[in-house]
Amino acid sequence: MAQVLLRGTPFQTQGELPALGEPCPDVDFTANDLSDFKISDFQGQRLVLNIFPSIDTPTCALSVRRFNEAAASLENTQVLCISADLPFAQSRFCGAEGLEKVKMASTFRSDAGSQLGVVFIEGPLRGLMSRAVLVLNEQGQVIHAEQVKETAQEPDYDAALAVL
């Protein structure tokens, strides 16, 4: 279990992020059109997994905007913005913001958060995912992992993008 903070109060997540050099679990997601997809669907591409509690919070929304901006200049790289929000909410947000470079990924029909080790098991966000970033190489191996210690803070964008 990892311990993360929510506005200074410690809470536990279900597990730990996948280790550097290890393959990322081939987790399932739901797209905005309600189709299903997996990590392995992006074999041969680099992936940035931007994981967060909910698109309807300021820090989560900011991380999606920041990665959308960065994705415009990344070759052979897809950014997946992952939350338990319904695809309808994710689609509404991206449409209103004009975000077209990131792909939203809902976990509402899967246990992706558990497989990635980021589900809060206690506290007010219990059942949602903690803020984390994973970067995968073309073979699906983890080349960067950040479990953001304070959920209300942004991830280290520079560190995530530097490995690409």
Side-chain angles (χ1 to χ4, degrees), residues 136-152:
L136 313 180
N137 66 15
E138 293 87 341
Q139 294 76 41
Q141 296 168 313
V142 178
I143 58 173
H144 171 81
E146 178 191 9
Q147 172 66 71
V148 179
K149 189 67 176 167
E150 170 55 67
T151 303

Side-chain angles (χ1 to χ4, degrees), residues 95-119:
E97 296 281 331
L99 306 179
E100 299 175 348
K101 301 298 183 187
V102 295
K103 181 173 179 71
M104 299 304 288
S106 175
T107 63
F108 91 105
R109 290 196 294 217
S110 77
D111 65 345
S114 297
Q115 291 182 59
L116 296 172
V118 295
V119 173

Side-chain angles (χ1 to χ4, degrees), residues 3 29 39 49 63 67 69 78 101 120 133 139 147 152 159:
Q3 184 179 63
F29 302 109
I39 295 282
L49 308 182
S63 74
F67 276 118
E69 181 181 311
Q78 177 67 59
K101 301 298 183 187
F120 282 108
V133 175
Q139 294 76 41
Q147 172 66 71

Side-chain angles (χ1 to χ4, degrees), residues 14 23 37 42 44 60 62 65 69 83 103 113 122 138 161:
Q14 179 184 9
F37 67 97
F42 299 93
C60 300
L62 182 58
R65 288 184 199 106
E69 181 181 311
S83 71
K103 181 173 179 71
E122 60 184 355
E138 293 87 341
L161 298 171

